Amino acid sequence: MKRVKVCIGILVTIVLLGIGWLLLLSHKNNELSVLIDNAIELAEQGSDETGDAIVELCEYWRDFYAVASMFESSKNLDDISNSAAKLAPLYEKDSEEFYSECETIRLAAARILKSNIPWK
């Protein structure tokens, strides 16, 4: 009977950790999306604060990367890191590619979240 209780405890722990990971990933993904929206909005307005918003977005991505790297493949995360690294130079050159890189980051992060949801 002890073994059954231990096994049930282990299974419950695994399920709770999985649910916690999904909640954390969802929260981080939503926050990243808000930061992307903010950077795009400021860039469209030509605001002086756009550079700060891009720096904040890149710093947040580094934190996101540290968390996501525990469960996600390095290739997917490195692609997003490359896009994030391009944001500041693209904005400084006033390139339209800035907006496409922002959307690339958003979609790749959403893909990471979707790939971790077991029922989708």
Side-chain angles (χ1 to χ4, degrees):
M1 192 63 181
K2 271 186 168 177
R3 290 181 187 163
V4 172
K5 289 180 183 178
V6 169
C7 289
I8 290 172
I10 291 171
L11 289 174
V12 168
T13 302
I14 290 170
V15 169
L16 291 176
L17 286 173
I19 291 170
W21 167 245
L22 285 176
L23 291 174
L24 176 67
L25 190 58
S26 176
H27 172 72
K28 293 249 180 219
N29 196 17
N30 290 337
E31 183 66 25
L32 182 66
S33 186
V34 167
L35 292 171
I36 290 170
D37 289 340
N38 184 39
I40 289 173
E41 183 179 323
L42 290 172
E44 288 173 345
Q45 295 172 357
S47 173
D48 294 336
E49 298 174 5
T50 306
D52 294 336
I54 293 170
V55 168
E56 183 181 5
L57 171 62
C58 291
E59 287 174 359
Y60 187 83
W61 169 249
R62 283 187 210 106
D63 294 339
F64 189 115
Y65 184 97
V67 171
S69 65
M70 291 186 282
F71 298 99
E72 196 59 40
S73 71
S74 178
K75 170 89 171 89
N76 295 337
L77 298 175
D78 289 343
D79 290 344
I80 299 173
S81 292
N82 291 337
S83 291
K86 294 177 188 176
L87 290 179
L90 288 173
Y91 175 72
E92 290 170 4
K93 291 180 181 178
D94 200 29
S95 174
E96 290 296 318
E97 288 182 38
F98 171 79
Y99 302 105
S100 68
E101 289 298 330
C102 286
E103 290 305 316
T104 299
I105 293 169
R106 183 192 322 267
L107 293 174
R111 198 173 325 120
I112 289 171
L113 175 62
K114 188 175 179 181
S115 72
N116 280 277
I117 298 175
W119 54 86
K120 287 195 176 188

